């Protein structure tokens, strides 16, 4: 059994939390195939119940199966259901609680309900914590519980709270009371299966979850500025949606018919791995054994085969969507054009015309764009019609006004005229339901026109890939700062940040890091980006700390690529984040970024693998190239021929700036003289 979408809910037993997203409210996270949408904030339970209803109805309409997790116990310790309802059936208790607790924006009723339930027991009853200091419920934990304090599942975990405690930081008692009541209503409305009390045969299943089960993975995945509750539901939804059907089936296979169970309990490692790992495997940069120098094409193939999208989704209005990557296929919501209309200014006729002169009486009124002619065309008549006007009923053909002579009331025109001439059929451009923009496409201005014309006001796109850029080296100073002896300005960072932003990603400036293992470790851990690009320190020397750190994780691969300019690339994973360790030399750093990182980032961003734009042009230079490695020369076009920079010196940043593209010379030997065809890759196709 598999689910198309995983939704995770952080419930709240309290009152309304206001319009501004905040913690301790209700948060809803949703993910499909490891990709989450932006978590949604619900200020109170009325809003949350409505929102969940809408999500369930949306899934039903799309034919999707939905697994929804809630962070409160679905059952109470054994014996409680019987004490309240006379039956051990936990769902009888659900119905009972729903009767006692209507959904309100307020949170006060739950204390009365806890007090009423306590009254069913001799002595104080199990519920405790004097939430509103009104003495309805005992202030402190009972010295002896009339029912056991813990469920079986809770005995197997550390740090859970008891369902009897209805207040205090971290407590879950209020969430369970209000949550069960709300879920009972949703269950009645939508026929959800409740795990693990019922077989999961409905298209929507409710399950119990507990984010702290993988608290470390959740903390590691929380993004800067992200509210913890939002991060929890996002990361859990992502993690559960990455599980194989088999892994999930194992987690769902429990026997807890009265008390319920925490989904994933006993399977924390699997869940943690799914949460941390993302879709990239830790060994995604590993090189085949025995490889010494990797040809460029092999390196590109490995990147292409092993990387996959890591970005979530968000829905944007068309006005914000240019340049973003479509997250799913977009279909036309209506046909274009929506109705048959005129392609020209002229006169509408019932049919085509036979050869010869025709005199046709004109009706009063006209059809214009946005102001249709409201009547059917009477037989044997013609009607004035303007470009873009919907064809009135009975009109199939339009005669161009330049071909007509007209008086107030009569149209004279020379046939023949083809049936249907100058008329656009409804849907002749695009028919409703047709895929107009494919998943993975970078949305162009024309795509926006197509979506707007076919009824779309917004589009679901990938979130921008967050790419951290970090320079490493004791010699580096911030651009513009004075230099002490031995120091140089950090040239790579402004260059790489700009290049990455121009590729459509979110470039995150992580500054300069000294050649010090621990400082660099802190910078890696603090990056919190989807990808990290470093420059410098990537070789195997004693001050090459990027490669040393990645070696510690066991994921380091030193890619010696048969390319000039180029030094080894240090590739590895840092806690699920891919790291591209570029050489420090600015020329090599840029070439490696454009040739290797550019397509890799495109894939991670969800835009698929793209080949660079390449033109074959005559060389305007001479060069003898030996076999064995591919070479990239700083180049520009002059009169459609490729000139190259005078010096191939790899330290010459002026040559990078002079260039407007790269000439790519093949791995084999080549004698280039003026006129030899060469491959030219314009920067416009690599960066812009
Ligand atoms: P590394 O890869 O750290 O051995 O550095 C190789 C060369 O690139 C050295 O000459 C460094 O000083 C230089 N370099 C490293 N990082 C930068 C940078 N961000 N800007 C300019 N030059 C750099
Ligand atoms: Mg260095």
């Amino acid at each position: 059994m598999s689910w198309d979408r995983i939704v995770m809910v952080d419930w709240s037993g309290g009152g309304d939390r206001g319009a501004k997203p905040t913690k301790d409210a209700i948060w809803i996270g949703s993910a499909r195939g490891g990709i989450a949408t932006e978590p949604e904030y619900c200020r109170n339970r009325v809003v949350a119940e409505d929102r969940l209803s809408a999500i369930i109805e949306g899934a039903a309409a799309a034919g999707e199966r939905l697994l929804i997790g809630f962070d409160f116990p679905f059952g109470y310790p054994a014996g409680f259901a019987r004490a309240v309802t006379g039956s051990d059936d936990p769902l009888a208790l659900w119905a009972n609680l729903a009767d006692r607790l209507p959904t309100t924006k307020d949170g006060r009723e739950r204390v009365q309900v806890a007090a009423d339930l306590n009254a069913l027991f001799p002595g104080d009853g199990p519920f405790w914590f004097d939430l509103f200091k009104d003495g309805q419920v005992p202030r402190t934990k009972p010295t002896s519980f009339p029912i056991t304090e813990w469920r079986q599942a809770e005995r197997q975990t550390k740090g859970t709270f008891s369902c009897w405690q209805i207040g205090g930081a971290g407590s879950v008692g209020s969430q369970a009371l209000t949550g069960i009541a709300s879920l009972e209503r949703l269950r009645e409305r939508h026929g959800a299966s409740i795990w693990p009390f019922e077989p999961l045969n409905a298209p929507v299943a409710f399950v119990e979850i507990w984010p702290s089960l993988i608290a470390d993975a959740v903390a590691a995945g929380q993004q800067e500025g992200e509210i913890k509750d939002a991060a929890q539901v996002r990361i859990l939804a992502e993690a559960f949606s990455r599980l194989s059907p088999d892994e999930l089936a194992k987690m769902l296979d429990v026997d807890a018919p009265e008390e319920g169970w925490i989904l994933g309990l006993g399977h924390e490692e699997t869940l943690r791995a799914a949460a941390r790992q993302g879709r990239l495997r830790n060994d995604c940069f590993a090189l085949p054994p025995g490889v010494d120098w990797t040809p460029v094409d092999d390196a590109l193939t490995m990147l292409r085969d092993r990387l996959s999208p890591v970005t979530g989704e968000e829905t944007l209005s068309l006005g914000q969507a240019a340049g973003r990557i479509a997250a799913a296929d977009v279909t036309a919501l209506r046909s274009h054009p929506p109705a048959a209309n005129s392609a020209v200014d002229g006169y509408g006729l019932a049919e085509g015309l036979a050869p010869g002169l025709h005199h046709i009486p004109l009706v009063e009124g006209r059809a214009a764009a946005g102001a249709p002619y409201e009547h059917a065309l009477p037989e044997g008549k013609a009607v004035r019609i303007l470009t873009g006007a919907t064809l009135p009923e009975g009109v199939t053909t339009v005669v161009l006004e330049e071909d007509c002579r007209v008086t107030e009331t009569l149209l004279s025109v020379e046939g023949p005229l083809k049936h249907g001439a100058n008329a656009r059929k409804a849907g002749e451009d695009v028919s409703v339901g047709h895929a107009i923009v494919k998943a993975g496409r970078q949305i162009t201005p024309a795509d926006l026109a197509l979506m707007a014309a076919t009824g779309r006001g917004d589009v679901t796109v990938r979130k921008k890939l967050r790419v951290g850029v970090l320079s490493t080296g004791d010699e580096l100073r911030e651009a513009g700062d004075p230099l002490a002896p031995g120091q140089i300005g950090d040239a790579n960072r402004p260059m790489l940040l700009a290049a990455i932003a121009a590729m459509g990603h979110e470039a995150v400036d992580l500054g300069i890091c000294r050649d010090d293992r621990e400082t660099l470790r802190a910078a890696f851990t603090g990056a919190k980006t989807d990808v990290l690009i470093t420059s410098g320190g990537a070789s195997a020397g004693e001050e090459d700390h990027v490669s040393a750190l990645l070696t510690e994780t066991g994921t380091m691969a030193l890619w010696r690529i048969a390319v000039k300019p180029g030094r080894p690339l240090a590739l590895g994973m840092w806690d699920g984040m891919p790291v591209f360790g570029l050489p420090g030399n600015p020329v090599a750093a840029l070439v490696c970024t454009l040739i290797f990182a550019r397509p890799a980032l495109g894939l991670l961003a969800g835009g698929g693998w793209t080949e660079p734009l390449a033109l074959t042009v005559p060389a305007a230079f001479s060069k003898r190239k030996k076999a064995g490695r591919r070479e990239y020369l700083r180049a520009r076009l002059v009169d459609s021929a490729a000139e190259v920079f005078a010096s191939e010196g790899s330290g010459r940043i002026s040559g990078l700036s002079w260039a407007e593209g790269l000439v790519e010379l093949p791995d084999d030997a080549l004698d280039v003289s003026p006129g030899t065809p060469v491959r030219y890759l314009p920067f416009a196709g690599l960066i812009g």
Side-chain angles (χ1 to χ4, degrees), residues 544-565:
D544 287 323
H545 297 287
V546 170
S547 38
L549 266 188
L550 292 176
T551 302
E552 275 183 30
T553 69
T555 63
M556 162 75 186
L558 197 64
W559 287 34
R560 294 178 199 280
I561 303 173
V563 65
K564 182 184 170 190

Side-chain angles (χ1 to χ4, degrees), residues 187-528:
R187 176 174 100 96
E188 278 171 8
R189 209 174 307 153
H190 303 289
S193 305
I194 312 301
W195 178 82
F197 309 137
E198 299 179 303
L200 299 182
N201 41 26
V204 47
F206 293 166
V207 301
E208 174 186 336
I209 50 129
W210 186 48
S212 302
L213 212 51
I214 53 163
D216 45 356
V218 169
Q222 186 176 355
Q223 288 164 1
E224 216 171 289
E226 191 178 28
I227 292 172
K228 183 174 172 204
D229 312 45
Q232 279 185 352
V233 295
R234 175 180 63 76
I235 293 164
L236 275 161
E238 284 170 354
F240 275 106
S241 73
R242 284 182 192 126
L243 298 175
S244 68
D246 217 41
E247 286 169 327
L248 193 51
K250 279 196 192 126
M251 292 186 189
L252 288 165
D253 183 19
V254 304
D255 183 31
E258 182 180 352
E259 295 187 339
W261 197 257
I262 297 163
L263 185 61
L265 180 58
H267 302 269
E268 289 83 349
E269 263 325 304
T270 312
L271 203 51
R272 194 173 287 127
R276 278 180 180 272
Q277 202 52 60
R279 295 178 129 203
L280 300 183
R281 298 166 52 101
N282 243 351
D283 60 358
C284 66
F285 296 122
L287 291 168
V291 168
D292 196 8
W293 287 97
T294 306
V296 171
D297 287 339
D298 292 6
L300 291 173
T301 304
M302 278 192 278
L303 290 173
R304 180 180 189 152
D305 287 350
R306 297 180 193 182
L307 298 177
S308 50
V310 297
T311 46
E313 302 173 359
E314 61 187 333
T315 299
L316 298 181
S317 68
L318 294 190
Q320 302 169 292
R324 302 295 294 270
I325 293 164
D329 287 355
V330 181
T331 53
L333 291 179
R334 63 168 104 90
S335 295
H336 180 256
N341 67 73
S342 177
V344 298
D345 288 351
Y347 297 88
L349 309 173
E351 52 199 16
L353 298 174
L357 187 61
H358 300 261
H359 301 286
I360 308 168
L362 278 170
V363 296
E364 242 178 67
R366 60 169 206 170
Y373 179 76
E374 306 281 2
H375 319 282
L377 182 71
E379 224 186 299
K381 303 255 172 118
V383 60
R384 175 69 171 145
I385 192 163
L386 301 177
T387 307
T390 299
L391 297 189
E393 192 187 331
V395 172
T396 67
T397 305
V398 180
V399 52
L400 198 63
E401 74 180 9
E402 288 86 332
D403 296 340
C404 303
R405 267 181 302 113
V406 280
T407 66
E408 283 272 289
T409 55
L410 195 69
L411 167 75
S412 303
V413 55
E414 188 77 38
L417 182 66
K418 254 174 80 181
H419 184 83
N422 301 316
R424 304 175 181 137
K425 293 192 193 67
E428 72 173 21
D429 183 20
V430 180
S431 47
V432 62
H434 199 83
I436 45 174
V437 173
K438 286 282 187 195
R441 178 174 168 92
Q442 195 168 21
I443 293 168
T444 65
D447 294 338
L448 297 176
L450 184 56
M451 288 190 276
T454 52
R456 294 252 164 212
D458 54 30
V459 56
T460 303
V461 297
R462 295 279 185 172
K463 288 203 187 143
K464 281 197 178 191
L465 184 74
R466 286 168 49 82
V467 184
V469 175
L470 180 71
S471 290
T472 73
D474 281 342
E475 73 279 30
L476 301 179
R477 294 300 304 267
E478 197 69 45
D481 281 359
L483 302 183
Q487 295 184 327
I488 58 171
D490 176 3
N492 288 346
R493 204 155 41 95
M495 170 175 74
L496 297 176
L497 285 167
I500 285 157
M503 290 172 197
H505 310 301
E506 185 180 339
V508 181
D509 187 351
L510 298 176
I512 299 172
C513 189
R514 289 186 293 119
D515 284 323
D516 171 74
R517 191 80 51 93
E518 294 317 309
T519 317
L520 193 62
R521 186 193 307 279
F524 275 29
T525 301
K528 303 234 164 154

